[in-house]
Amino acid sequence: MPTPESRAQELRQILNEHSYRYYVLNAPTITDAEYDALYHELVALETAHPHLIMPDSPTQRAGSDLTDDFPKVEHPAPILSLGNAFSDDDLWAWEERNLKLLPSGTQLAYMLEPKLDGLTVVIHYDNGVLVKAATRGNGRVGDDVTANVRTIRTVPLRIPATGDIAPPRHIVVRGEVLFLKHDFNALNERQREAGLPLYVNARNTASGTLKQKDSRITASRPLTCYLYDIVDISPDDIHGKPIYLPTQQAMLDYMRDMGFFIPPESHLYPTLSHIIQQIPTWIEKRHALDFEIDGLVIKVNDRKIDAELGVVGKDPRGAIAYKFPAEEATTTLKAVVVNIGRTGKLTPTASLEPVFVGGVTVSNATMHNYKFIAELDVRLGDKVVIKRSGDVIPYVIGPVPDLRDGTEQPILPPTHCPVCHTPIIQPEGAVDHFCPNTACPERVYRSIEFFVSRGAMDIEGMGGQTVKQLIEAGFIHDEADIFALKADDLLTLDGFAQKKVDNLLASIEKAKSRPLAQLLASLGIDGVGSTVAQSLADKFRSIRALMDADVQAIQEIDGIGDVLAENIVAWFDDDHHQRLIAKLTAAGVNMQAGEKTVLGDALAGKTFVLTGTLPTLSREKATELIEAHGGKVSSSVSKKTSYVLMGDSPGSKAEKAAQLGVPIIDEQAFLQMLE
Ligand SMILES: [Zn+2]
């Protein structure tokens, strides 16, 4: 029978080791139930014998409600920040300055590490046991957050976390506390389910969590801590054996052996040139990582040289941060402008104090819908965080409530359309609000703009600006009026010379004979994209037959559910739309499906899903080719999908395909299949 002392020690060791295997190595060797059983045995022992509670006991991860005003901790060495580089030239200049300080002929190799966007922590271990943890504070003195850091599962309470190598007598390590992206999303999912406000910014939430007075709150949130630097270490280990860490790489390896969670993808490169070659790759893969980074850290690998280089001002010379262009910025929400789309959908758009972000000045950002605004409690006058990354339209992430002064006003959906003053509706169960008036001038403009666009009726020479000009001149009131435009009228418009008028009229004439499916997809019926339009054209063969069809007949089509079928019927029931169809017919626009072209049977029995923009084929053309070769086009990816034909900026369909193991092909491969 082991003594309570020896059993408690054994349990601590087993539990700590499994915690390491689970959270750091992601390779558990016991089940959760087994872990829980051992854990409860330890809790029972410690409850019966409180003197057995040790600082490295996993029971201490649960947190406590003991509040203290965060006593101060002096760091054993200054916790320095890094100088910044924003370009390759900055990096070359940095190396050149360093080489001047070193014996001629010195070759510098470098470690490249991701620059994590979290909070710095400094953690102390004595004889292998975590004894203290502090925030960076002012770099010399930080706040004692030991109780909170103990709750972070990736931080070992005892080192080495596994194995029997001797720990140093004393070591102080530096790291970064953050939320992994998937943990942050899960945390917000929990908030959403509980009807609580969502967290906006992962870094700020991590900061708030680390500085909680009640460490039980910290324990309830899934923080992660990467450790990447040794601030201080005893010259030898607990057995008196000297510790020798000549390079950054050796240091990281040593830390990994001790069981610290090391930032992934840290690599050694022989020259700065190699490092610079890596930068574009990092910028590209940045968003695919499970943690936020705002740049890269480049460190002289040789620690002796690093020490010789010393510190200039507050920055060490031997390391530098290469900063990516900021993708997030904080600015003031000055007003909310409502955009009305062709379906009548209201999109609240933030009018912002202009701010430089992601390489450009941004003064507008989308706020998606009023549900988003309500969930995040965004208010007029708020400081808001906006994001602009890559080609995505800038959007509001959320407000910064801490910066409120009390003058901020709630944002509510308008009761009436700001353009046509029709009462706004929110269909039951819908996220969005709508202007239901099909004759709303803004909806008409958006509809016509969509009708003529590439991918719809594709009327060359008729962009949004021209549409606006024609509406303002009173020449068009709906899509059908386009086909009644006269040269004499057009010539009176600003910037319309004879040649431009001739070209425009020629492309309008050409548009009259577009296939029925293309016309249907151009009408802007909610839910009727090119795939559904093609199915409707295939089944009903004419607009007349489709208008006469009831919900049930439409629903018989594969891939069209009752909601969409009802939507289509309602669209054609609308007076405004019926007049439009009559006018289009009278103008000579094609209303019939032509004979089906048959080019071969190379794709017989194959089902395709299209996603993204193809380099040369339009969606309609690709659909036509697939069907002319005996294949089928479907709108969603399932196990029955044969191929996903993917172009630029693909949507979630590509991810779904990858999950289901459906082959993804590009246009070139597709065209080869037809040969
Ligand atoms: Zn309206």
Side-chain angles (χ1 to χ4, degrees):
M1 191 69 187
T3 63
E5 280 79 6
S6 65
R7 180 58 182 161
Q9 193 194 351
E10 192 182 9
L11 286 169
R12 284 200 303 271
Q13 198 204 325
I14 297 171
L15 290 166
N16 279 331
E17 177 167 340
H18 285 297
S19 188
Y20 167 73
R21 290 188 185 283
Y22 187 90
Y23 290 103
V24 176
L25 301 182
N26 200 13
T29 49
I30 57 172
T31 65
D32 290 357
E34 285 167 321
Y35 183 93
D36 287 346
L38 295 169
Y39 184 86
H40 287 120
E41 186 186 345
L42 181 60
V43 171
L45 265 176
E46 288 179 350
T47 312
H49 312 277
H51 71 279
L52 293 178
I53 299 173
M54 294 290 153
D56 68 335
S57 170
T59 59
Q60 300 307 296
R61 287 204 195 267
S64 82
D65 59 352
L66 288 177
T67 62
D68 45 24
D69 264 332
F70 295 127
K72 303 299 170 201
V73 178
E74 199 166 327
H75 301 309
I79 304 301
L80 301 168
S81 57
L82 295 180
N84 290 327
F86 298 95
S87 67
D88 298 355
D89 285 349
D90 290 351
L91 292 177
W92 287 120
W94 168 66
E95 176 169 75
E96 208 179 299
R97 283 196 305 274
N98 284 342
L99 287 175
K100 277 189 192 145
L101 299 170
L102 298 166
S104 69
T106 306
Q107 266 291 336
L108 293 176
Y110 299 95
M111 278 302 286
L112 179 64
E113 299 169 12
K115 187 174 182 302
L116 304 166
D117 194 12
L119 286 305
T120 300
V121 281
V122 179
I123 310 178
H124 300 234
Y125 290 83
D126 281 342
N127 300 315
V129 178
L130 189 161
V131 290
K132 198 180 289 175
T135 62
R136 178 174 179 278
N138 61 12
R140 287 180 301 106
V141 178
D143 286 332
D144 188 329
V145 287
T146 311
N148 288 337
V149 167
R150 274 206 184 102
T151 69
I152 304 173
R153 307 283 164 167
T154 43
V155 173
L157 299 176
R158 172 183 277 280
I159 54 169
T162 181
D164 52 9
I165 36 171
R169 280 188 288 111
H170 174 68
I171 186 172
V172 181
V173 292
R174 171 181 179 167
E176 209 77 359
V177 168
L178 46 79
F179 283 108
L180 293 177
K181 287 179 189 168
H182 80 268
D183 284 333
F184 187 66
N185 293 340
L187 180 65
N188 261 340
E189 203 41 55
R190 257 163 51 195
Q191 292 287 111
R192 192 192 306 276
E193 277 166 16
L196 295 168
L198 304 187
Y199 297 108
V200 173
N201 177 290
R203 189 182 185 283
N204 292 348
T205 311
S207 171
T209 302
L210 188 64
K211 291 176 185 163
Q212 279 294 330
K213 296 271 171 154
D214 183 342
S215 57
R216 288 175 303 187
I217 295 174
T218 313
S220 73
R221 299 185 194 161
L223 284 173
T224 291
C225 179
Y226 285 110
L227 293 154
Y228 54 82
D229 198 10
I230 295 178
V231 179
D232 190 27
I233 187 166
S234 53
D236 45 20
D237 66 23
I238 49 167
H239 301 320
K241 201 171 145 239
I243 297 164
Y244 179 57
L245 303 171
T247 63
Q248 291 288 341
Q249 194 180 31
M251 197 181 77
L252 280 184
D253 288 344
Y254 179 79
M255 290 177 73
R256 187 181 289 115
D257 290 346
M258 284 297 146
F260 294 116
F261 199 35
I262 305 299
E265 315 215 28
S266 303
H267 287 297
L268 177 67
Y269 292 94
T271 68
L272 187 60
S273 176
H274 286 85
I275 297 267
I276 287 172
Q277 283 170 35
Q278 292 300 315
I279 292 174
T281 319
W282 272 96
I283 290 177
E284 212 168 281
K285 73 177 170 190
R286 163 181 193 187
H287 298 290
L289 299 170
D290 196 22
F291 44 86
E292 293 283 353
I293 64 172
D294 56 358
L296 298 168
V297 177
I298 299 150
K299 293 176 179 167
V300 170
N301 189 44
D302 189 314
R303 294 182 77 209
K304 202 168 139 230
I305 294 179
D306 179 46
E308 276 167 30
L309 285 169
V311 171
V312 55
K314 58 177 184 46
D315 303 334
R317 287 195 181 90
I320 198 163
Y322 181 95
K323 299 277 280 230
F324 295 148
E327 294 191 329
E328 289 184 16
T330 304
T331 186
T332 306
L333 173 60
K334 293 193 304 183
V336 177
V337 177
V338 186
N339 283 321
I340 299 150
R342 61 189 157 82
T343 60
K345 186 169 105 181
L346 268 47
T347 305
T349 303
S351 180
L352 305 162
E353 195 68 52
V355 62
F356 192 75
V357 58
V360 298
T361 301
V362 167
S363 48
N364 294 299
T366 181
M367 291 197 285
H368 314 292
N369 53 59
Y370 286 95
K371 182 168 179 245
F372 170 86
I373 290 174
E375 274 186 351
L376 286 166
D377 186 23
V378 187
R379 302 180 196 173
L380 214 56
D382 259 340
K383 290 273 185 272
V384 289
V385 180
I386 63 160
K387 180 154 187 164
R388 181 189 179 276
S389 70
D391 295 331
V392 182
I393 298 169
Y395 58 95
V396 172
I397 298 181
V400 188
D402 289 351
L403 296 178
R404 283 184 181 150
D405 63 10
T407 61
E408 295 77 12
Q409 295 298 318
I411 300 166
L412 297 170
T415 53
H416 293 75
C417 172
V419 179
C420 71
H421 312 296
T422 305
I424 293 299
I425 57 158
Q426 185 179 28
E428 211 179 303
V431 168
D432 294 300
H433 291 74
F434 291 85
C435 165
N437 175 12
T438 47
C440 174
E442 187 64 17
R443 287 186 60 173
V444 169
Y445 163 62
R446 294 286 173 199
S447 304
I448 300 175
E449 186 192 34
F450 176 75
F451 183 77
V452 301
S453 65
R454 191 175 172 263
M457 290 298 265
D458 196 11
I459 301 180
E460 219 175 301
M462 201 158 183
Q465 261 331 94
T466 308
V467 171
K468 209 157 230 172
Q469 217 177 345
L470 292 169
I471 292 177
E472 277 164 15
F475 293 154
I476 57 173
H477 305 91
D478 60 27
E479 292 89 332
D481 289 339
I482 292 167
F483 298 97
L485 284 170
K486 294 190 179 59
D488 289 349
D489 288 340
L490 291 172
L491 283 167
T492 65
L493 293 175
D494 248 10
F496 277 76
Q498 189 68 49
K499 184 144 199 289
K500 185 169 171 180
V501 170
D502 289 347
N503 287 343
L504 181 58
L505 289 176
S507 47
I508 291 173
E509 191 58 33
K510 225 163 82 186
K512 285 185 184 170
S513 49
R514 299 272 186 248
L516 176 61
Q518 200 168 337
L519 173 69
L520 286 174
S522 307
L523 293 172
I525 307 166
D526 210 10
V528 181
S530 52
T531 309
V532 171
Q534 187 66 55
S535 311
L536 291 170
D538 285 349
K539 182 171 167 84
F540 296 104
R541 316 297 298 164
S542 75
I543 284 258
R544 190 69 258 160
L546 175 57
M547 288 172 88
D548 291 342
D550 58 11
V551 171
Q552 202 184 344
I554 296 175
Q555 227 184 306
E556 279 169 15
I557 297 175
D558 205 25
I560 298 186
D562 50 352
V563 175
L564 181 51
E566 275 166 28
N567 209 8
I568 294 167
V569 169
W571 196 91
F572 283 107
D573 274 347
D574 184 277
D575 284 348
H576 178 77
H577 295 143
Q578 288 189 353
R579 277 197 301 278
L580 174 65
I581 299 294
K583 269 173 85 174
L584 286 168
T585 313
V589 175
N590 172 45
M591 297 283 159
Q592 309 281 333
E595 287 306 308
K596 286 217 123 187
T597 343
V598 177
L599 296 173
D601 58 1
L603 307 180
K606 303 267 190 290
T607 305
F608 288 76
V609 171
L610 308 178
T611 181
T613 314
L614 297 170
T616 69
L617 296 176
S618 68
R619 222 159 236 260
E620 294 70 34
K621 189 69 198 164
T623 304
E624 203 181 301
L625 280 172
I626 290 167
E627 290 176 347
H629 286 86
K632 280 204 329 194
V633 175
S634 169
S635 54
S636 58
V637 180
S638 71
K639 280 189 179 150
K640 288 187 203 154
T641 310
S642 316
Y643 298 98
V644 168
L645 176 51
M646 185 174 80
D648 281 342
S649 332
S652 59
K653 289 173 190 171
E655 279 168 41
K656 183 90 189 285
Q659 275 170 20
L660 293 175
V662 174
I664 300 175
I665 57 168
D666 63 5
E667 183 183 289
Q668 203 189 349
F670 168 68
L671 292 173
Q672 274 167 9
M673 294 170 91
L674 303 181
E675 278 165 11

